[in-house]
Structures are given as C-alpha cells and as structure tokens.
Amino acid sequence: TLIYLDIIWIDQNLNIVHIDSNARPCTTDICSSYDPGVDSIYVLEINGGLSGEKGIEVGDRVEFSKHF
C-alpha cells in the first residue's frame, strides 16, 4: 500500500491483541513484515493514526456488524 496504516491484530475471541500504529508503506523491493508476537486470526487495516484518534486500544473487543 502507498499510505501509512494502523494494523490491528485480533484473536479468536475478537479481542484486539496488538496494534502496529502508522506502519510504513513499502517503498523498496524488500518490504518489512509485521508480526504481533501473539496469536491472532484476524487483521484489520485502517488509515494510519486512526486507532489513536478513535481510542482503539489493545484489550478492546471487536464486534462484526451484518449491516452493509
């Protein structure tokens, strides 16, 4: 991607277990990889800095909505 992202890692219980804030876009042939260091099964990517603006923190619980 060409923009900074917040990468939110979510476990099987829908709890946020790690956040990489403002992950840098890849600008070289070899890109960085991100690892939360804990078990997770979902990843949510949002605009960089948005998790801080919205008060999203490790330990918060995620809810999926069926509204589209």
Side-chain angles (χ1 to χ4, degrees):
T1 184
L2 300 176
I3 63 170
Y4 285 82
L5 295 173
D6 288 356
I7 304 172
I8 301 171
W9 303 84
I10 304 164
D11 70 8
Q12 69 277 3
N13 297 314
L14 302 181
N15 295 312
I16 296 174
V17 294
H18 184 76
I19 300 173
D20 282 307
S21 297
N22 287 305
R24 298 174 57 121
C26 181
T27 57
T28 62
D29 289 338
I30 300 174
C31 299
S32 298
S33 62
Y34 294 91
D35 180 351
V38 295
D39 289 338
S40 63
I41 61 170
Y42 302 107
V43 174
L44 174 64
E45 296 178 345
I46 60 177
N47 289 353
L50 192 59
S51 60
E53 289 177 28
K54 299 295 183 181
I56 300 169
E57 299 178 335
V58 170
D60 288 349
R61 183 166 166 77
V62 174
E63 293 183 22
F64 291 105
S65 173
K66 293 184 181 183
H67 303 284
F68 298 107

